[in-house]
Amino acid sequence: MSNVAQVNVDGSPGMLGRAGWKLNALREKANTTICLLDARMRTLTAEPEEGAATAEYAVVLVAATAFAAVLVGIVKSDAVKTLLTNIVKKALSVG
């Protein structure tokens, strides 16, 4: 497309000239947007899980802490204390 625009007698661009400029501006904006989108897609496909690893570690840490709290609660219960004490007494008395 030619960048030459028709000019009226008073020096202002004609209707086709203004339409051409607008079309050229839209084309440049579309090219810029496509270029940025392409760069973003390439970045995401190159390192797809950069932020996900931190979130996964946080979820695993919370789950492990909750599991540890449940285990501590179970081990401190009277039934488990009695069971473990009986196992240790039985092991020591054999012999």
Side-chain angles (χ1 to χ4, degrees), residues 64-76:
T65 305
F67 185 66
V70 168
L71 286 179
V72 167
I74 290 172
V75 169
K76 284 189 172 185

Side-chain angles (χ1 to χ4, degrees), residues 1 3 18-33:
M1 179 176 184
N3 286 336
R18 287 191 304 268
W21 285 346
K22 288 180 181 178
L23 185 61
N24 192 28
L26 284 173
R27 185 173 48 97
E28 287 180 11
K29 187 175 180 181
N31 283 342
T32 302
T33 303

Side-chain angles (χ1 to χ4, degrees), residues 52-68:
T54 304
E56 289 168 359
Y57 286 131
V59 169
V60 168
L61 183 63
V62 168
T65 305
F67 185 66

Side-chain angles (χ1 to χ4, degrees), residues 3-55:
N3 286 336
V4 178
Q6 294 179 356
V7 179
N8 290 336
V9 177
D10 63 352
S12 64
M15 184 176 69
L16 291 176
R18 287 191 304 268
W21 285 346
K22 288 180 181 178
L23 185 61
N24 192 28
L26 284 173
R27 185 173 48 97
E28 287 180 11
K29 187 175 180 181
N31 283 342
T32 302
T33 303
I34 289 171
C35 182
L36 290 173
L37 182 62
D38 179 56
R40 181 70 178 148
M41 293 300 291
R42 289 176 189 265
T43 302
L44 288 175
T45 56
E47 299 171 3
E49 295 184 8
E50 185 150 332
T54 304

